[in-house]
Amino acid sequence: MTGVRCTYSITCDRYGTSYGMIRKQAYQKGRALFKSRYYYRHVTHRQGETGFRPLGEELRRFVSTSASNEEELNFTEYKAEINSAYWETRPVAVTQRLVEVGASLGSWFATGSMLGESPQERASRLKRILTQLGPAYIKIGQAISSRPDVLSPVFLGELEKLQDRLPPFSTDEALKVIEEEYGKSPDKVFQSLSPEPVAAASLGQVYKGILYDGTEVAVKVQRPGVAKSISLDVLVLRRLAIQVRAWRKLNTNLPLLIDEWAASLFKELDYRQEAQNGIKFKELYSHLDGVYVPKMYSELTTRRVLVMEWIDGERLSSATAGSRDVLDDIRLVEVGVRCSLEQLLEYGFYHADPHPGNLLRTRDGKLAYLDFGMVGEVDEKIRRGLIRATLHLVNREYQSLADDFITLGMLPEDSDKEKIVPALTGVFAEALAGGVNNLSFGDLSSNLGRTMYEFKFQIPSYYTLLVRSMSVLEGIALRSDPNYKVLASAYPWVARRLLTDTSSELRDTLLALLYKDGKLNFKRMQSLLTQSTRSTGLPQRPKGAPEGSPPPRGDALALLLSPKANFIRDIVINELGKGTDAAWRVSVDSIVMGAYNELYSTMVSSGDPQSLPFLRNILEFLTQIPKLSDDEDVEQIDGLQALVQTLQKTSAAQQASSSFSTGGETEAKEKTETSSRCTLEDQIQSFVSFVEWSIKEAQTLDQEERLQAAKLPFDVAQNASNRIIARAVRWFFTEESTEESQSRSPTTVVRSMPQMRQTTPHASIQKRYMFGSDDFRKSMFRPKDFGV
């Protein structure tokens, strides 16, 4: 009898009802069924029921009634301490749940191979087990249902059903919940409701309704008892996490991650908060091109009933290979990537549950976001740190990346970076071996996870949600395009943000990326400008702009002339000033060199150089003229020419191609290799072509951009003139110093003068050579010029 009473007590405690309470209620109701403890055993043996099954149908109905009539949890906000205290008084229920979860999942792992089940049967059984275990495990299944790099297609197909095709509860129960929440019959609020739910999710199910004004709405009704079920499962998972962390000696605080996840789940249970989240999400992101956020009817929303605008559409991952919708899915994934970046890095308010069931392709080709129960926030410091980390990753600045991890709270400040940097270099160098366009987010996060474990990284909650958001989007895209990489789509947004951000931290990051030893890295500048003109980097329609109004221009020239780009525009003006200053000096050197070659050839061809004293004097005079330019001046002109080509290319072809190509860099490299051989005539021709292009582009600019464009020549001229004046002053004082030195050493001749040095704003030391020096003759004249 003791064993029978234990079985009975466990059964009742599963529903939160004690043995004594049921027995007392039974006597009050006058039922003779529960008068004898012997009858419990008799029923059990007669029915052949063992384990944790209810004792007969009568008991099943009674226990179900008692569970449904029992009060809900006495708290609506999750706190680990409060939740633990609540379940400490119900140890049998906790023990039973632990055994039930362990037995269900353990049997699936153990019997899969023993029974010879096919992958389809195993996937189907796993889906059924997660469904039976309840909302918390359904959420776990949803999280991995969009990762084709983690699960096979067979498992993905089954687990996808957890997103919106779960077994519904009865409509009678749903109508009862609606009546309890509104305090009146549902037909007093809705003109009509669909007889059956159109979708069933882990926490509730959705009906299609019509208001009395004819508006179609979606009515989401919460599952009865879902809060209590989740709180128990969270307690079980938390205890398992404590054991796993101690067993595996993990650095990550698994119980804390579960607490944060549980807190977000409990917030999701309050539909009033979900409605407010949806309203805020619509205010922040509905202006983005291709994004649609439904309207929330907060006046009709209660804690367990949510009313929102009805949307006709289909799930984003529903396209089949080879169908026309595949390309549309890829386009909308990029819309989702851009929107996710706006959420995580621009405003810090993000959708934390973006599984395919919450992303719809609307009839007019937009990406609609649903279900705003789980949202998160990232503070500004973390947002800036994430942007810097992305930039340092793409540009292989691994030392700076280690500093970013400290800023992001992933590493303690006293970490040994001498050991961490080589490890990060190994992980990221391998990931970037094929370039940023071939960088797999799933592979990167997996490989980085091993390094995080080794060096005791601390995983903050926002990192987990960031990885999940990007992983889901990449998983959806991989179904349509196996070569799709989400980071390649994310970087253009980061590049534009870096070029237009006004914060001092990101401006310092931009300077550190572009300048090394005082010299501008033109290739990085070209890469940033090129990436910023890709589809996910294009500017969006500003908030408040009328629906359908065209977004701002997205080409590189429009970016440089935009009001937010004043910092990068000043950098370009400064470099153009340097280039103008270098151009006139290179031109003078080219003219002097040409004259010298021409006269020297004439003198050599005469047969008797000694008979032409006049030419000899002129050549002697030309050799006395100091060389005004050097290799850095030539590199500056080459870099500016390549930059202009980038501006022209992105302006003409930004709509023709949305994928990043290295062709521009190759062309720029070839130009750099050949431009030092260009003549003055070639430079003039290039300048004329640039002017013609500028005139054509000016006709497409708006008034504010034209004003900035009109100021550019004056700003560049002023910058160049300041450099020329400064150079003249330095030359004057250098000449005086040289004359004093010569007066003290009369034997010194001009031809053997020591090489002079000069200082420029971005290059501390540049060499200046005399045309008559040996170095000049070796570098500027070919052997045949001297008759060799």
Side-chain angles (χ1 to χ4, degrees), residues 362-373:
T362 65
R363 303 299 184 196
D364 57 352
K366 291 186 177 182
L367 179 65
Y369 280 82
L370 306 177
D371 194 353
F372 303 98

Side-chain angles (χ1 to χ4, degrees), residues 562-627:
S562 64
K564 291 184 178 181
N566 60 318
F567 186 73
I568 187 66
R569 188 165 57 247
D570 289 342
I571 292 178
V572 172
I573 289 173
N574 186 65
E575 296 302 320
L576 285 173
K578 283 181 64 176
T580 303
D581 179 39
W584 76 265
R585 289 183 285 109
V586 169
S587 299
V588 170
D589 287 348
S590 178
I591 293 173
V592 173
M593 181 182 66
Y596 186 96
N597 285 337
E598 188 69 26
L599 293 175
Y600 189 83
S601 299
T602 301
M603 186 175 65
V604 171
S605 61
S606 65
D608 185 12
Q610 300 299 327
S611 63
L612 301 172
F614 178 71
L615 288 180
R616 289 179 55 198
N617 291 335
I618 295 178
L619 289 174
E620 186 69 20
F621 171 75
L622 292 177
T623 59
Q624 303 292 325
I625 300 177
K627 186 182 179 185

Side-chain angles (χ1 to χ4, degrees), residues 155-309:
F155 278 84
L156 291 178
E158 284 297 319
L159 294 185
E160 267 189 351
K161 299 175 183 178
L162 296 174
Q163 295 167 4
D164 56 4
R165 290 183 292 230
L166 293 169
F169 56 94
S170 71
T171 298
D172 290 338
E173 289 182 280
L175 293 176
K176 184 178 178 181
V177 170
I178 294 175
E179 185 170 356
E180 289 175 354
E181 291 296 303
Y182 288 142
K184 52 187 175 182
S185 175
D187 59 11
K188 301 294 184 182
V189 182
F190 304 101
Q191 180 179 334
S192 66
L193 282 174
S194 57
E196 298 295 332
V198 296
S202 55
L203 305 184
Q205 58 194 33
V206 179
Y207 294 84
K208 184 176 183 180
I210 300 178
L211 300 178
Y212 277 96
D213 62 0
T215 304
E216 293 184 340
V217 293
V219 182
K220 183 161 72 170
V221 184
Q222 194 172 111
R223 288 179 179 270
V226 68
K228 196 164 190 175
S229 172
I230 288 177
S231 69
L232 176 57
D233 284 329
V234 166
L235 181 78
V236 170
L237 290 171
R238 196 175 192 279
R239 290 184 178 181
L240 290 175
I242 292 173
Q243 298 300 320
V244 170
R245 188 188 186 197
W247 172 47
R248 298 297 302 272
K249 297 181 181 180
L250 300 178
N251 307 314
T252 303
N253 191 339
L254 290 180
L256 180 60
L257 291 178
I258 290 178
D259 288 340
E260 292 171 344
W261 174 65
S264 65
L265 268 179
F266 266 75
K267 290 179 181 178
E268 193 174 357
L269 292 173
D270 188 347
Y271 287 169
R272 295 167 298 185
Q273 183 61 49
E274 179 176 349
Q276 293 303 313
N277 293 339
I279 292 172
K280 183 175 181 179
F281 197 91
K282 186 177 182 68
E283 291 176 351
L284 293 177
Y285 309 117
S286 61
H287 70 285
L288 298 178
D289 186 35
V291 172
Y292 190 82
V293 184
K295 176 184 177 181
M296 299 289 165
Y297 292 87
S298 55
E299 68 278 7
L300 296 177
T301 297
T302 67
R303 188 173 69 87
R304 295 191 294 166
V305 177
L306 173 69
V307 181
M308 59 184 287
E309 175 186 356

Side-chain angles (χ1 to χ4, degrees), residues 335-346:
V335 171
V337 169
R338 186 177 63 240
C339 186
S340 296
L341 293 170
E342 292 278 342
Q343 296 170 46
L344 289 162
L345 303 181
E346 178 68 26

Side-chain angles (χ1 to χ4, degrees), residues 127 130-131 137-148 151 155-167 198-206 220 223 268 314-318 353-360 370-371 468 472 475-476 479:
K127 191 263 295 183
L130 294 179
T131 302
Y137 297 91
I138 291 172
K139 286 286 185 183
I140 295 174
Q142 289 174 348
I144 62 175
S145 66
S146 301
R147 294 303 306 172
L151 297 176
F155 278 84
L156 291 178
E158 284 297 319
L159 294 185
E160 267 189 351
K161 299 175 183 178
L162 296 174
Q163 295 167 4
D164 56 4
R165 290 183 292 230
L166 293 169
V198 296
S202 55
L203 305 184
Q205 58 194 33
V206 179
K220 183 161 72 170
R223 288 179 179 270
E268 193 174 357
E314 55 186 350
R315 289 194 306 171
L316 187 58
S317 60
S318 63
D353 193 22
H355 63 73
N358 291 335
L359 302 172
L360 292 184
L370 306 177
D371 194 353
R468 183 184 179 194
V472 165
I476 294 173
R479 291 175 175 272

